[in-house]
């Protein structure tokens, strides 16, 4: 039997014929509110580490250069997010009182779940009742610490659900109506990559049809930072010097990231945009080592080898590995040795394995560290470039890079072998010994399907294009319009027709709505700008959805015909043409003329030709609207229109 993967790019077939497509991504990371900004920061070598933002805690009060000083931390800097207190509960149907009791980690994962599905071009409501799984890594309970400072009187009816870590995943499933597995995972610092591994396995078993996977980490109170300092993990200078001789610990980071995963065969069949492919993954545990938190070299090597074996990938094919790379004097040499044994040693002389770590840019996101590294690898594959790993000058004496056949990526460059499939590994290790490794490959080549579009929709030249925006309030609609202006203005290459299609088809529709209509880029941007400012414009229509009523299609009867009716639609939209031709085939031999000739000539006004012509036109029009997702609640017709209504 021929595998469904045999038609894709050579090398995209996993050892057991199963692979997973990454069809959506979303993140909120230090200095990066979205994946596009994260990539820009990575490619430009930006370090996004600062002192705690105003409102967290007074760093002067808790800092002491002596990490052993009671109640103090020896690090001032880390990777932080702005505005973690900001949340729109009404958007998710949550009361303000319950929202205040919710751990901000829950709120952030809810927001990113929505954004990741939008990036997948999936309207969340269409997944209600589906076997969509949610797998989220999370390890800290800082918000609980903050609340309990105020004593038992601060505990209310929403406290348990607001603080329980399992609800980080469960609330997504509840809010969006998912019926697949839903769980929070805590394997310490490897939690979020383990979540991706578990999601992959759930898809493999058919337990999930779609999965959201990732992790979240927020450093809200000083206690957890003081704990990390006492553990001995923090870098006094607030930087990660991965594989460098200066390695002295890590900077704490916070943030979250999610990926949307679907079996590759299904993603290809559905025509999804594929960011990259997960070929395989593996996890294990170090077992007994020289100490509870001492990494195991042999088991790190083993988990990488197992992931490669499951992926059907050879070590020599792997061009880049995103390291766990914390920048600790103990962990870095162990990881380097394990990686060399599993992959580096298989590379020929002169072609060392390239490595790097996002922790040098954004700090160690602990429970979300693995997903941050995975997103970096995904973006590196998507952009076909490798960004620099920062803070590397002189190799750690315990890491002889030449002997290990490893090379730290120190600048922005193309991949070592861009002529070959781009394949990367991502590692993440927990302090309790739970290790995970994921193997990624570039998306398979897709045969382009030529779509004949209306002039102006595809080319942006002439014709009219609608941009549809909606929100739960008038202010939300204006904010959406402002973001639309910002996004389109920043990318002169984006087609206005593509934007219109995405807004109409792949976005949820809320009660407050507006439509901007324009014949070109400038007119559409001007209308969106006016809408964002609350100003009136002739080509902008806004209003509020009526709470009741349905939509009806009325099919006209004889007398509405005209010569050449439907000619432009037939030439522009294949769906219309196919439906029209299907009716034409049914009338073949009955009219004395092909149906296409009937509507194009004066005979269309003769009753014997009028009625078949109108019937064909109306059926084709219905199929065209139907292809756009516009389906009526009622149909009615007059004269021959009754027949068309009954037929459709």
């Amino acid at each position: 039997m021929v595998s469904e993967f045999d038609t894709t790019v050579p090398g995209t077939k996993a050892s057991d014929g199963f692979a997973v497509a990454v069809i959506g991504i979303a993140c909120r990371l230090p200095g990066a509110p979205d994946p596009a900004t994260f990539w820009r920061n990575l490619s430009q070598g930006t370090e996004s580490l600062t002192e705690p933002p105003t409102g967290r805690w007074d760093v002067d009060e808790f800092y002491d250069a002596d990490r052993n000083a009671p109640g103090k931390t020896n690090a001032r800097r880390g990777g932080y997010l702005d505005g973690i207190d900001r949340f729109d509960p009404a958007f998710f149907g949550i009361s303000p009182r319950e929202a205040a009791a919710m751990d901000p980690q829950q709120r952030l994962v809810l927001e990113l779940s929505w954004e990741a599905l939008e990036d997948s071009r999936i309207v969340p409501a269409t997944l209600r009742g589906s076997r969509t799984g949610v797998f989220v890594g999370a390890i800290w309970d800082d918000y609980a610490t903050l609340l309990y400072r105020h004593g038992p009187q601060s505990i209310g009816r929403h406290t348990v659900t607001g603080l329980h870590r399992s609800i980080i995943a469960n609330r997504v499933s509840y809010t969006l109506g998912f019926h697949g597995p839903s769980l929070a995972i805590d394997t310490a610092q490897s939690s979020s990559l383990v979540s991706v591994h578990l999601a992959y396995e759930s898809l493999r078993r058919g337990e999930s049809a779609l999965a959201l996977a990732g992790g979240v980490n927020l450093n809200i109170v000083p206690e957890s930072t003081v704990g990390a300092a006492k553990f001995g993990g923090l870098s006094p200078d607030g930087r990660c010097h991965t594989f460098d001789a200066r390695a002295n610990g890590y900077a704490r980071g916070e943030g979250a990231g999610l990926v949307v995963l679907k079996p590759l065969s299904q993603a290809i069949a559905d025509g999804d945009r594929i960011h990259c492919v997960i070929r395989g993954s593996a996890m294990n545990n170090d077992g007994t080592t020289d100490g509870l938190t001492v990494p195991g070299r042999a088991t790190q090597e083993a988990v990488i080898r197992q992931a490669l074996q499951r992926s059907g990938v050879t070590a020599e094919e792997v061009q880049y590995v995103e390291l766990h790379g914390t920048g600790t004097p103990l962990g870095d040499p162990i990881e380097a040795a394990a990686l060399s044994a599993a992959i580096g040693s298989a590379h020929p002389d002169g072609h060392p394995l390239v490595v790097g770590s996002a922790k040098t840019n954004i700090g160690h996101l602990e429970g979300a560290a693995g997903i941050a590294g995975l997103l970096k690898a995904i973006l590196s594959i998507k952009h076909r470039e490798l960004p620099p790993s920062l803070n590397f000058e002189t190799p750690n004496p315990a890491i002889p890079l030449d002997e290990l056949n490893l090379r730290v990526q120190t600048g922005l460059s193309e991949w070592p072998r861009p002529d070959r499939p781009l394949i990367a590994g991502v590692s993440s290790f927990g302090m309790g010994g739970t290790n995970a490794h994921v193997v990624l490959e570039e998306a398979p080549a897709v045969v382009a399907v030529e779509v004949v579009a209306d002039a102006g929709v595809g080319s942006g030249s002439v014709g009219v294009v609608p941009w549809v925006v909606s929100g739960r309030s008038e202010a939300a609609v204006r904010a959406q319009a402002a973001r639309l202006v910002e996004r389109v203005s920043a990318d002169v290459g984006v087609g206005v027709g593509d934007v219109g299609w995405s807004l109409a088809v792949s976005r949820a529709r809320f009660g407050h709505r507006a439509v901007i209509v324009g014949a070109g880029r400038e007119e559409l941007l001007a209308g969106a700008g006016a809408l964002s400012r609350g100003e009136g414009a002739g080509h902008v229509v806004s209003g509020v959805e009526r709470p009741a009523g349905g939509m009806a299609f009325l099919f006209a009867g004889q007398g509405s015909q005209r010569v050449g009716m439907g000619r432009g639609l037939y030439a522009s939209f294949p769906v219309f043409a196919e439906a029209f031709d299907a009716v034409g085939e049914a009338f073949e031999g009955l009219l004395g003329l092909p149906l296409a000739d009937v509507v194009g000539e004066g005979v269309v006004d003769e009753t014997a030709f009028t009625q078949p012509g109108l019937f064909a036109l109306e059926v084709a029009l219905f199929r065209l609207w139907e292809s756009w997702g516009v389906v009526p609640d009622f149909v009615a017709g007059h004269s021959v229109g009754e027949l068309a209504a009954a037929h459709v």
Side-chain angles (χ1 to χ4, degrees), residues 14 51 61 83 102 111 122 145 175 184 247 273 323 336 375 397 464 503 526 576 581 592 640:
E51 292 190 353
E61 179 183 351
M102 289 167 56
E111 292 173 341
I122 296 173
T145 300
T175 302
R273 175 185 59 176
L323 302 164
L375 287 170
V464 175
L503 291 171
F576 181 95
D581 288 343
V640 70

Side-chain angles (χ1 to χ4, degrees), residues 200-235:
Y200 179 96
E201 291 298 324
S202 183
L203 291 166
R204 180 200 294 273
R205 294 192 300 270
E207 183 180 62
S208 297
L210 189 79
L212 285 82
V216 61
N217 195 72
L218 293 178
N219 305 322
I220 299 172
V221 295
E223 283 88 338
S224 57
T225 297
V226 171
K230 299 307 179 208
F231 175 68
L234 298 189
S235 165

Side-chain angles (χ1 to χ4, degrees), residues 19 196 343 365 571:
V196 173
I343 300 179
L365 269 61

Side-chain angles (χ1 to χ4, degrees), residues 70-135:
K72 305 291 183 178
T73 172
N74 64 328
R76 300 180 65 93
R77 290 159 35 92
Y80 295 97
L81 304 183
D82 293 324
I84 63 169
D85 57 327
R86 299 173 194 161
F87 180 65
D88 182 3
F91 182 87
F92 296 102
I94 299 170
S95 71
R97 178 169 295 184
E98 183 173 9
M102 289 167 56
D103 188 332
Q105 294 181 128
Q106 287 188 29
R107 307 176 204 159
L108 185 52
V109 170
L110 263 180
E111 292 173 341
L112 291 181
S113 296
W114 191 276
E115 292 176 20
L117 289 172
E118 283 197 334
D119 187 66
S120 307
R121 301 168 178 172
I122 296 173
V123 177
T126 63
L127 296 177
R128 189 166 293 276
S130 67
R131 288 181 293 109
T132 298
V134 182
F135 304 79

Side-chain angles (χ1 to χ4, degrees), residues 189-559:
Q189 292 79 2
S190 60
S191 297
S192 60
L193 202 64
V194 167
S195 297
V196 173
H197 166 75
L198 294 177
Y200 179 96
E201 291 298 324
S202 183
L203 291 166
R204 180 200 294 273
R205 294 192 300 270
E207 183 180 62
S208 297
L210 189 79
L212 285 82
V216 61
N217 195 72
L218 293 178
N219 305 322
I220 299 172
V221 295
E223 283 88 338
S224 57
T225 297
V226 171
K230 299 307 179 208
F231 175 68
L234 298 189
S235 165
D237 59 9
R239 285 188 170 90
C240 293
H241 299 279
T242 302
F243 280 21
D244 191 85
R246 296 167 295 167
N248 58 359
Y250 62 85
R252 293 194 80 201
E254 67 178 11
L258 290 176
V259 292
V260 180
L261 307 178
K262 181 189 278 190
L264 177 60
S265 58
Q266 190 62 52
I268 293 173
D270 292 343
D272 291 318
R273 175 185 59 176
I274 300 173
H275 291 293
C276 76
V277 174
I278 297 180
R279 292 281 301 273
S281 63
M283 65 178 291
N284 68 7
N285 189 274
D286 291 334
T288 304
T289 60
D290 292 340
L292 175 62
T293 61
V294 175
R297 192 206 66 78
T299 42
Q300 287 185 9
E301 176 188 345
V303 78
I304 296 170
R305 290 187 184 279
Q306 188 176 24
L308 292 175
Q309 187 275 326
R310 290 182 173 181
S311 303
V313 169
T314 66
E316 196 272 332
E317 291 178 289
V318 180
Q319 299 192 42
Y320 173 78
V321 168
E322 175 66 15
L323 302 164
H324 181 61
T326 55
T328 58
L330 177 64
D332 279 5
I334 292 174
E335 180 175 9
L339 190 58
S340 173
I343 300 179
S345 60
H347 279 231
D349 293 341
H351 297 279
L353 173 67
V354 182
V355 300
S357 174
K359 294 178 178 64
T360 61
N361 302 88
I362 58 176
H364 188 349
L365 269 61
E366 299 169 347
I371 191 65
L374 184 75
L375 287 170
K376 176 186 171 183
I378 290 171
L379 292 168
S380 297
I381 289 174
K382 182 178 177 180
H383 291 276
R384 302 188 71 82
E385 291 182 315
L386 291 175
S389 189
L390 309 182
N391 307 324
F392 180 80
E393 295 177 358
T394 305
N396 185 324
I399 305 177
L401 291 175
D402 290 340
E403 294 179 22
L404 299 174
N405 209 22
L406 305 176
R407 176 173 66 81
V408 177
Q409 178 74 11
T410 56
L412 180 66
S413 72
E414 66 178 10
W415 284 62
R417 291 299 305 271
D419 55 316
R420 295 184 178 183
L422 305 187
I423 298 178
V426 182
S427 292
S428 192
F429 309 135
M431 66 178 179
T434 296
N435 309 309
H437 190 82
V438 173
V439 179
L440 306 177
E441 185 179 21
E442 63 180 298
V446 177
V447 178
V449 178
E450 183 179 355
V451 177
V452 180
D454 181 84
V457 174
S459 65
S461 54
V462 294
V464 175
V465 176
W467 282 358
V468 183
V469 293
S470 70
R472 294 196 186 275
S473 66
E474 184 180 343
V477 172
R478 292 199 302 269
Q480 288 281 43
R483 291 188 64 187
L484 185 59
V485 171
E486 180 183 1
R487 170 70 179 86
V488 177
S489 298
D491 187 355
V492 296
V494 67
V496 295
D498 294 335
V499 173
W501 183 91
S502 294
L503 291 171
V505 176
S506 63
R507 294 293 182 268
R509 292 187 287 271
F510 300 110
H512 291 259
R513 302 177 183 178
V515 180
I516 306 145
V517 180
R521 185 187 188 87
E522 292 184 6
E523 193 172 1
L524 286 161
L525 284 173
L531 178 61
S532 71
R533 297 186 296 271
E535 301 171 357
H539 53 294
V540 177
V541 179
S542 59
V544 181
E545 177 191 27
R546 293 182 178 179
M551 178 170 57
F553 280 7
L554 178 63
F555 295 78
Q558 190 167 346

